[in-house]
Every structure is written in structure tokens, then in C-alpha cells.
Amino acid sequence: MPSIIKKLPANIHGKDYVIGDLHGCLDLLERLLQKVNFNAQHDRLFSVGDLIDRGPYPLSCLQLLHKPWFFAVKGNHEAMLLDCITEYLPTNTLPNTTDFEDSDFIYNGGEWIYKWINIENQFIATELKDALSAVFKLPLIYIVGTGESRFHVIHAELTKPNPFNHDEMVWLDSDIDQWYAENSITTEVEQRLLWSRSLMRFDAAGDYPAKVQKGLSTTFCGHSITKTPKQFLSHVCLDTGAFMSMNGNTDFGLSLYDVKESQCLSTAYHQEEISVTNLFIEKIN
Ligand SMILES: [Mn+2]
């Protein structure tokens, strides 16, 4: 049983970065890492999940999971992939063709996988097999550091069901610590960690919750595409729609957050330059 929540100490030797939903856009990531002179010996790169589907290099993005400096949580796209090949993992048997073609995974951009498997022949390429074993082990939450330097990485949101008001809308560090101790969360929390948009949809509603929630450390997330990163109740959403810039819409792009410098770097397809903006994250103690 893989860990649902993983914990890492603060990085005292190098810098920590967080990347938004990659969705196969490895070339954009490489551009950003080059810009920050990413040091594979000392720096760490955290991913909010959704490595696959939509963009040009889905398998290469999954293969980042083999790098010692790369730490990703499971996104809803990885969850859909696992759902459709669950049978494969314990038995080495791929699902039947019809089930596979009708799966949520294939409907949501998973066609790339046909390059690496052949269901009729029960063939699965070694590269994909190796990547899948890493996907299977992905946690839902990373807790990094302690005290003031603590932050979390998740895919979607730490929201509660039926919140009474903004203040009661999110889970707190104390809840996460308890889940960690028990290595257990409810199915409802898991679904919200992977799929929830109840917090990020305030963009449209206008009734904005505060940026920071007392008792919840900064929680980097993705999942809901936004042109610039959004901050609600300690959540910082970094999904700026990397793959959406493939058709030339440079309002969207891939965003990388430099935790130490409080800076966000973004780049897009059809756009050579990299924008650097200050993104200061408030904290309440
Ligand atoms: Mn996504």
C-alpha cells in the first residue's frame, strides 16, 4: 500500500520549485529549468500532478518520476490512467479493448498511450511499464518542511464537503497531520484532492475568500486553469494552462514557482521569452 501522504524536510542545501499541471509539455518545463539554472544535485522540483495527456510528451513527463529531484502528487489524469489499467498492475493483464476505449482516461486525452501498448497482443512497452509502477506510488499530498517554512503540494483542493462559510471551507495542518499519522483519508477527501473546484471557482462568482487561512500552511495546487496564479485560503493555484498555448493563445502557459524568491516564471508555446513576476504568499501564524 503506497503512502497517501509523504513528508520531506526543508531543503537546506538548495532551492525548491513547484510546477503547475505539465500535461506533456516537457519542452516548456526544460526552458523554465534552464532559466533558473536548476541544480539537480541540490534543488527539488515539486509537481502538482497531471503530468500526462493533452501535450506533446506525456510519457517523458511520467519518466520524470524516476529522477531523484522530482516529487509529484497524483493528479486526476493519473488517477484516470490507474483506474483504467488497475487490472494490469497485479495480474499483468490489460483490460479488454472495449472497456479501454470507453474509459474516462481515453476520453480525456489518453490516446497517446496507444503508442506504447497493444491491447489485443497484451503488449506494454517497458518504458510505460516502468513509469506506471512510479505512478502507482504517487501520494496525494506532500508535506514539506515544518513550522514557518512548511508548505503542501496537492493536485486540486483541500476543501471540505458542505462548507458553512469561507472559514470552514478548508482542512487545516492538524487534519493533514492526523491523516499522515493514520496513512488514511476518506474517499470524499481523496476525490476533492483530485477533482474539487469549489474554491477556485470563486474567480467567476466574485465573492472572494481571503488569500490566507489561519492554521493551513501554503498549499500549492493546480487542476483549475487560470491565466495567472490564484490564491484563496492558503491555496496557490499554479495551473496556467500550458497545453492551451499550443494553438497560439499566449494568455496561457506553464508556470514555475520559486519558493525561496517568491517568484513565478511562465512561458508558453509560440513565445520565446519567459516572464518573471513576484508572487508573494502571505502567512498568518
Ligand atoms: Mn490538469
Side-chain angles (χ1 to χ4, degrees):
M1 174 74 186
S3 304
I4 294 165
I5 303 175
K6 290 186 181 173
K7 214 180 241 197
L8 286 172
N11 186 353
I12 50 168
H13 299 295
K15 293 173 85 173
D16 285 338
Y17 298 92
V18 191
I19 190 78
D21 297 36
L22 276 167
H23 284 301
C25 301
L26 184 75
D27 40 353
L28 295 185
L29 174 65
E30 285 172 343
R31 209 189 281 177
L32 292 169
L33 292 182
Q34 196 172 9
K35 171 81 175 176
V36 299
N37 289 318
F38 186 82
N39 180 331
Q41 294 296 315
H42 299 301
D43 298 341
R44 299 186 293 200
L45 177 63
F46 292 90
S47 155
V48 300
D50 276 9
L51 306 173
I52 50 171
D53 306 341
R54 321 267 196 228
Y57 306 107
L59 183 60
S60 305
C61 283
L62 280 187
Q63 288 174 324
L64 289 167
L65 295 171
H66 304 314
K67 304 281 189 194
W69 44 264
F70 187 76
F71 303 89
V73 293
K74 190 191 292 178
N76 60 309
H77 283 256
E78 283 79 41
M80 288 188 286
L81 168 61
L82 288 174
D83 278 351
C84 100
I85 55 140
T86 320
E87 293 165 49
Y88 167 74
L89 291 163
T91 62
N92 275 14
T93 310
L94 288 166
N96 75 51
T97 312
T98 316
D99 286 354
F100 202 82
E101 283 171 357
D102 286 343
S103 66
D104 288 342
F105 171 65
I106 294 297
Y107 278 123
N108 285 282
E111 303 89 349
W112 61 270
I113 207 164
Y114 290 126
K115 190 174 165 189
W116 309 98
I117 61 174
N118 184 316
I119 293 171
E120 272 160 34
N121 300 337
Q122 289 287 313
F123 167 79
I124 178 160
T126 311
E127 300 95 308
L128 179 62
K129 208 182 279 188
D130 292 346
L132 287 176
S133 56
V135 174
F136 185 66
K137 292 181 205 146
L138 291 176
L140 291 166
I141 304 176
Y142 262 107
I143 304 172
V144 185
T146 54
E148 284 228 355
S149 73
R150 172 166 167 165
F151 66 85
H152 307 129
V153 182
I154 63 168
H155 181 60
E157 295 177 350
L158 273 169
T159 43
K160 290 182 179 180
N162 305 316
F164 184 67
N165 61 32
H166 291 171
D167 291 344
E168 295 181 11
M169 202 171 170
V170 293
W171 300 100
L172 304 178
D173 289 14
S174 51
D175 299 304
I176 300 168
D177 291 341
Q178 194 181 335
W179 302 335
Y180 177 78
E182 295 165 357
N183 194 32
S184 158
I185 54 169
T186 64
T187 308
E188 172 120 36
V189 173
E190 175 173 6
Q191 289 305 302
R192 281 166 176 271
L193 281 164
L194 292 170
W195 294 93
S196 177
R197 290 201 166 103
S198 50
L199 191 53
M200 291 304 152
R201 76 169 174 230
F202 276 103
D203 199 24
D207 179 21
Y208 300 116
K211 280 189 178 176
V212 186
Q213 170 61 50
K214 190 170 164 49
L216 177 61
S217 296
T218 299
T219 298
F220 294 103
C221 60
H223 187 58
S224 291
I225 296 176
T226 153
K227 286 182 183 170
T228 51
K230 262 190 295 196
Q231 299 182 50
F232 294 134
L233 302 185
S234 303
H235 287 59
V236 180
C237 180
L238 296 173
D239 184 9
T240 47
F243 70 90
M244 290 176 68
S245 73
M246 287 168 67
N247 65 6
N249 188 344
T250 50
D251 284 346
F252 298 96
L254 182 66
S255 290
L256 177 76
Y257 190 71
D258 179 331
V259 177
K260 192 175 173 196
E261 306 297 335
S262 301
Q263 277 184 337
C264 190
L265 294 93
S266 303
T267 193
Y269 289 106
H270 308 281
Q271 176 192 302
E272 288 302 304
E273 69 268 31
I274 293 172
S275 70
V276 183
T277 48
N278 291 321
L279 179 66
F280 184 70
I281 299 170
E282 288 172 43
K283 291 194 176 172
I284 304 177
N285 295 312

